[in-house]
Structure formats: C-alpha cells, structure tokens
Amino acid sequence: MKILFRLMMVAAVATMLAGCGYNSLQQMEEGVFKAWSDVESTLQRRADLIPNLVQTVKGYAAHEKETLQAVVEARSKATGINLSTGDLNNAQAMQKMADAQGALSGALSRLMVVVERYPDLKANQGFLDLQNQLEGTENRINVARQRYNKAVETFNASIRKFPYSLTNSLLLKLERKEYFKAEAGAKEVPKVEF
C-alpha cells in the first residue's frame, strides 16, 4: 500500500511539474531573444548599406555635404547603441534605441529628398539597386519589429497567467520584456506640400 501511495505521489508531482510551465517559459524567453536578434540583424543590414548609398550620392551631389554628414552621424549613433538581452526589460534603453533608429530614418528621408534634385543620380543603376535594397531593408525592419513585439506579448502574457505565474514567481523570476515602440511623433500625420 505504501508503494502504491508513493507511486501515486510521484505521478502527481510529475504531472504538476509537467504543466507548471518551467520549460515553456524559458522557451518563450528564448523566442523573445531570437526575435530581438532578428531586429538587430536587419538594423545592421541597413547600417551596412548606408555607406554605399552615401558614397554613391556623394559622387553626384558633392555640395550636399550637410545632408550626407547628417546621415553618417545618425548611422554612427544608431550603430553605437547596443542592447543586450538583459536590456530588453529596460524601458529607457529600449526608448534610446528607438530614438536613435528614428533619427537615422529621418536622415535617410532627407537624403532621399536630396536625391530628387539630381535626375542623373535617380537614373544611375547602382543607386537604384541601393535604393531598392534600402527600401526592402526598411520593410524587413518593420516585420522584425512586429515579430519581436508578438514574442514579447506572448512571453509577458505567459508570466502573468496561472500556473506559469506561480512557477515564475517561485522558480524563475523572469522579468517582463519591453515592446519596441514607435518613435516620438510617429502618430502625427506628415504634411505634404507642393
């Protein structure tokens, strides 16, 4: 009878541990880390394309040094901010990263306005290829950010849901992760003037 009772207790404990979410929570946190790594990868791709774009524009628009310098400086600031996976729960660090990336996007937009002034540059095949790659990279960045935010949503909801919340508070003590938020002013409708 004692043996049967012990076997039932072992089976009950094993069943409870299987449903407590210990492994699932860690797997979801790794999903957040992977999604963040995808964001960083696409941001790096953009940073790698920018010097080629700047050099191409320099050849056609040498007197637009101020705009080109702004792009170079924004790229330098954006690539200078590195977040570790430990920073993903730090709202200030995430905002600093978003601000730097927003400044880079703004500088690239100003560069594209400069390009509109140079018809020869717009017709240059090398420039067109770079512009297409940059546009594709911007789309990839957006998708990577959305996937990261989805992974964060799943993780944050899980650490608050029973029985995972109990497992997290007693064993893992994992912290809530921050979403990648839009830059300040992104909600404002851009003005178009002719």
Side-chain angles (χ1 to χ4, degrees), residues 1-191:
M1 199 55 136
K2 282 184 175 182
I3 294 174
L4 182 60
F5 179 72
R6 286 183 183 166
L7 286 175
M8 287 175 51
M9 288 300 291
V10 168
V13 168
T15 302
M16 288 183 354
L17 286 177
C20 74
Y22 184 85
N23 292 330
S24 297
L25 286 174
Q26 291 181 72
Q27 190 175 21
M28 283 183 255
E29 187 179 41
E30 285 301 317
V32 170
F33 296 158
K34 185 214 174 284
W36 180 250
S37 162
D38 291 344
V39 169
E40 288 181 322
S41 175
T42 54
L43 293 175
Q44 184 61 51
R45 184 176 194 273
R46 176 173 65 178
D48 292 345
L49 286 173
I50 289 171
N52 296 328
L53 182 63
V54 168
Q55 289 303 319
T56 303
V57 174
K58 263 186 189 177
Y60 283 88
H63 59 284
E64 298 287 356
K65 289 181 183 175
E66 187 178 303
T67 302
L68 296 170
Q69 188 62 33
V71 171
V72 170
E73 287 174 9
R75 177 191 178 268
S76 176
K77 286 179 184 175
T79 57
I81 297 175
N82 293 315
L83 296 180
S84 69
T85 54
D87 294 326
L88 296 181
N89 56 1
N90 182 336
Q92 293 168 331
M94 291 292 289
Q95 188 59 50
K96 189 175 177 182
M97 170 74 135
D99 291 346
Q101 291 301 324
L104 179 55
S105 293
L108 286 172
S109 295
R110 288 189 298 281
L111 179 61
M112 291 303 147
V113 169
V114 166
V115 168
E116 291 298 318
R117 296 184 201 148
Y118 298 93
D120 290 343
L121 177 58
K122 289 191 299 186
N124 177 286
Q125 188 60 44
F127 174 76
L128 292 175
D129 290 344
L130 281 171
Q131 189 177 17
N132 287 336
Q133 286 184 32
L134 197 56
E135 183 180 327
T137 299
E138 293 299 321
N139 290 335
R140 288 178 184 159
I141 289 169
N142 187 43
V143 169
R145 286 175 179 168
Q146 289 172 350
R147 288 179 181 162
Y148 168 76
N149 283 344
K150 182 64 180 163
V152 167
E153 176 188 29
T154 301
F155 175 78
N156 287 347
S158 294
I159 63 172
R160 297 175 65 194
K161 193 182 342 175
F162 186 81
Y164 291 3
S165 60
L166 188 59
T167 301
N168 188 47
S169 64
L170 294 175
L171 300 173
L172 296 171
K173 301 189 186 333
L174 301 174
E175 294 183 31
R176 180 184 178 282
K177 306 300 181 213
E178 290 294 323
Y179 291 97
F180 198 103
K181 297 176 183 149
E183 61 191 81
K187 294 178 184 174
E188 295 176 21
V189 178
K191 294 178 183 176

